[in-house]
Amino acid sequence: MYRLLSLFLLSLTLAACGPVDREGHSLADYETAGTEALVREVIRTLPDPNPGVQKSYSITLGEIVRGRDFSPASVPFMQRFADTKLRIISPTVITTAPPEGTLIDPDLRVPIYLLQIRGMTQTSGSTWDYEVGWGYKKHFQRQKWKVTSDNGAWKVEPGAVIEGNWPPEAPAPAAAPAAPNQ
């Protein structure tokens, strides 16, 4: 009986901590000024595979496991980006459109950029490393980023690309016609 009670209390304690990343850090701890600076830089540097087409954005924290819910950034965190005039929606409302299962904004019926912030690790007193992934239709990329605080100013630097299919492969150049024999 004591073991059962201990397990029950432990599960309540863990549930109170909320979702965690793969290292056990609370996802709520991701919602910092440094992460905000990172998200702004990622959005600013996203490629646009569909120029002129309206897009929505969604921010997830931690792992994305196929067939399970996303861990959304909180509404107050998403509201920090109101000044960008971009439509940022919760990943909990995303729907898919056939035939490829493209992630779309259910209200506007437009494709979304899904941003995944994960692997936040403090490497020094003022520096954090992150892994950031993004997906848009069939395009995706995961990359390392470094965020450094210098007396309240944030420096965000891209690192190595871990995986992805952006930029798409360019078609091979056409072979030049052979010169006529003389």
Side-chain angles (χ1 to χ4, degrees):
M1 179 69 176
Y2 176 74
R3 275 189 178 171
L4 189 58
L5 181 60
S6 295
L7 286 174
F8 176 72
L9 291 175
L10 178 62
S11 66
L12 285 178
T13 303
L14 290 175
C17 296
V20 295
D21 68 9
R22 63 184 174 209
E23 273 90 47
H25 300 111
S26 170
L27 295 182
D29 293 344
Y30 278 59
E31 296 185 352
T32 66
T35 304
E36 178 184 348
L38 171 66
V39 170
R40 287 176 181 279
E41 182 64 10
V42 169
I43 288 173
R44 188 188 72 74
T45 60
L46 281 171
D48 191 354
N50 250 356
V53 173
Q54 183 179 5
K55 297 163 186 76
S56 294
Y57 300 78
S58 190
I59 304 168
T60 68
L61 304 174
E63 300 303 315
I64 297 176
V65 179
R66 191 176 293 271
R68 291 181 42 201
D69 290 336
F70 300 115
S71 295
S74 69
V75 171
F77 185 75
M78 290 189 296
Q79 288 173 339
R80 293 182 187 186
F81 304 97
D83 63 309
T84 66
K85 306 293 187 229
L86 299 172
R87 179 163 164 85
I88 299 180
I89 64 171
S90 173
T92 60
V93 300
I94 294 171
T95 60
T96 58
E100 292 100 16
T102 300
L103 300 177
I104 61 168
D105 178 328
D107 294 333
L108 301 181
R109 307 291 299 166
V110 298
I112 64 155
Y113 274 103
L114 181 64
L115 305 178
Q116 177 193 23
I117 313 301
R118 74 176 199 180
M120 182 177 110
T121 305
Q122 189 168 9
T123 57
S124 74
S126 61
T127 303
W128 291 262
D129 287 342
Y130 291 81
E131 276 186 30
V132 178
W134 63 264
Y136 178 79
K137 292 188 171 185
K138 292 183 178 183
H139 302 292
F140 71 97
Q141 185 169 289
R142 182 175 314 284
Q143 184 172 6
K144 292 187 178 284
W145 289 79
K146 180 189 285 189
V147 178
T148 306
S149 173
D150 184 15
N151 294 323
W154 293 98
K155 181 179 177 185
V156 180
E157 302 172 271
V161 172
I162 300 166
E163 65 177 329
N165 64 4
W166 187 264
E169 287 187 33
N181 289 339
Q182 302 212 0

